[in-house]
Amino acid sequence: MKRLPLVSLLLLVAGCAAAAPRASAPAVELHGHRFSTEFATDDASRERGLMMRTDLAADHSMLFVFPDSEPRWFWMKNTLIPLDILYFDDGRKLVSMQLDVPPCKADPCPSYPSDAPARYVLELPAGTARRIGVQAGDELTVEGDIGTVH
């Protein structure tokens, strides 16, 4: 009986690995536009948010996920880039927006509240919501495993 050469065996294993389904990177879709995203699902990651970052790619976002729906407010302490802050209810419908929020340059920093209870908050580079035509009631689609929220 002939043995398969090692190279053939490696190619066979590599082909099987390539055919296996891969988990997609976390992303959100809003108003027909897709953004890669980072999830902030616990107190520490929600508190840190996008602090100390000097840029945010045009196709990137951060999704804050809370365990409940209630009025929310965000501030920009140690956030170095301007943002659009979008608030979504339990059904992931857009209920409030704070657009073109500037970095905080004085202490205390102002806060930017939601106009209604929210469970999800999406941060995008400033100007994105206007550019893509986001409107109240738009639905946020989330791709990827949010995991445990606490």
Side-chain angles (χ1 to χ4, degrees), residues 32-44:
H33 295 268
R34 191 171 190 275
F35 301 90
S36 61
T37 198
E38 297 172 54
F39 294 136
T41 60
D42 60 27
D43 290 339

Side-chain angles (χ1 to χ4, degrees), residues 17-96:
R22 295 181 183 195
S24 63
V28 296
E29 186 173 317
L30 179 63
H31 205 75
H33 295 268
R34 191 171 190 275
F35 301 90
S36 61
T37 198
E38 297 172 54
F39 294 136
T41 60
D42 60 27
D43 290 339
S45 63
R46 287 189 296 261
E47 185 177 316
R48 184 176 51 258
L50 292 170
M51 286 182 171
M52 308 311 288
R53 299 201 192 175
T54 56
D55 67 334
L56 182 63
D59 65 344
H60 197 73
S61 66
M62 180 169 274
L63 181 63
F64 296 78
V65 183
F66 294 89
D68 54 10
S69 185
E70 63 181 52
R72 304 279 175 212
W73 60 91
F74 275 53
W75 66 339
M76 299 289 284
K77 185 168 181 98
N78 297 322
T79 304
L80 308 175
I81 49 179
L83 298 170
D84 288 343
I85 304 172
L86 309 177
Y87 300 89
F88 297 84
D89 65 13
D90 283 331
R92 298 184 184 158
K93 299 279 188 210
L94 182 61
V95 295
S96 185

